Amino acid sequence: MFGRELSGSDTKRRNAICRELTYQILENVQQMHRTGIVHRDVKPSNMLMTNTGKVKIIDFGAAADMRVGINFNPNASLFDPLYCPPEQFVIPRGFPKSPPPILASLLAPFLWFFTRPAAFDMYSVGLVLCQFAIPQLQQKGKIERFKKIIESRVC
C-alpha cells in the first residue's frame, strides 16, 4: 500500500494503514459526490484494493444519479441494512417522487441540498472506518449491535 515496508510497532503500522485507507475511501466518495452520484451501498465488501494499493469502490447497483434523478426513489430500500443510515437522517419523510429527467437536471442542486444524499454515504463510510479502528466490530453480529446502540441514542 505504501510502496515500502512500514517499521515501528503493530499499533503504529495499523494506525498508518487506517489513515491511508480512510483517506482513499473519503477521496473516492468525494469524487462520486462531485459528479452527482450517491453510491448508497458503501461497505467493506464493495471495496477492492488494486495491486498498487489503491482502494476502489465497486457495485453501483444501488447508486443514484442525483443530476437527473436516475435510480432515485426515496421509498425504495436497496441497501444493506447494516451500513445504511436511519432514513430520517437522509431523506425527509414524504419526499416527492423524482421529477422527469429534464426537470430533475435543472432541480438537481436543490435536490442535493434538500435530501443531503452525501450524508447517506458518509454514515456508511463512518461505520466502515469504525470497523477499521475497532477490530472487534469486524466480528459477526458486533456491527449490528453497535448500529442499534447508535440509533437508540440518536433517534
Side-chain angles (χ1 to χ4, degrees):
M1 175 181 290
F2 295 98
R4 60 180 163 65
E5 193 168 318
L6 294 176
S7 60
S9 70
D10 285 344
T11 303
K12 284 186 177 185
R13 285 195 302 273
R14 183 171 178 74
N15 289 344
I17 290 168
C18 282
R19 271 193 307 274
E20 181 62 24
L21 288 173
T22 300
Y23 175 79
Q24 288 189 35
I25 292 167
L26 289 172
E27 180 94 350
N28 276 285
V29 170
Q30 184 180 35
Q31 287 175 359
M32 283 187 293
H33 291 173
R34 277 190 203 131
T35 61
I37 306 293
V38 182
H39 190 277
R40 303 191 304 173
D41 198 19
V42 176
K43 58 186 177 184
S45 61
N46 285 341
M47 295 178 195
L48 295 176
M49 184 170 288
T50 67
N51 59 356
T52 60
K54 299 296 179 198
V55 174
K56 300 291 181 183
I57 296 177
I58 61 169
D59 190 1
F60 285 79
D65 186 338
M66 300 301 283
R67 297 169 296 182
V68 292
I70 294 174
N71 207 21
F72 176 69
N73 181 353
N75 301 316
S77 296
L78 305 167
F79 334 107
D80 185 330
L82 286 181
Y83 293 93
C84 73
E87 280 69 25
Q88 64 267 26
F89 290 159
V90 182
I91 298 173
R93 295 185 195 281
F95 189 81
K97 195 169 173 137
S98 183
I102 293 172
L103 185 57
S105 63
L106 295 172
L107 297 175
F110 301 106
L111 187 64
W112 188 275
F113 179 77
F114 185 66
T115 61
R116 302 181 322 252
F120 196 103
D121 286 342
M122 294 313 296
Y123 182 94
S124 303
V125 168
L127 286 179
V128 170
L129 300 180
C130 283
Q131 286 184 302
F132 286 160
I134 307 167
Q136 294 85 341
L137 291 179
Q138 297 169 10
Q139 298 170 2
K140 187 174 174 97
K142 298 283 177 133
I143 194 74
E144 293 102 333
R145 203 165 349 145
F146 181 72
K147 187 175 175 190
K148 284 179 184 174
I149 291 169
I150 291 172
E151 289 174 6
S152 70
R153 298 204 176 157
V154 177
C155 295

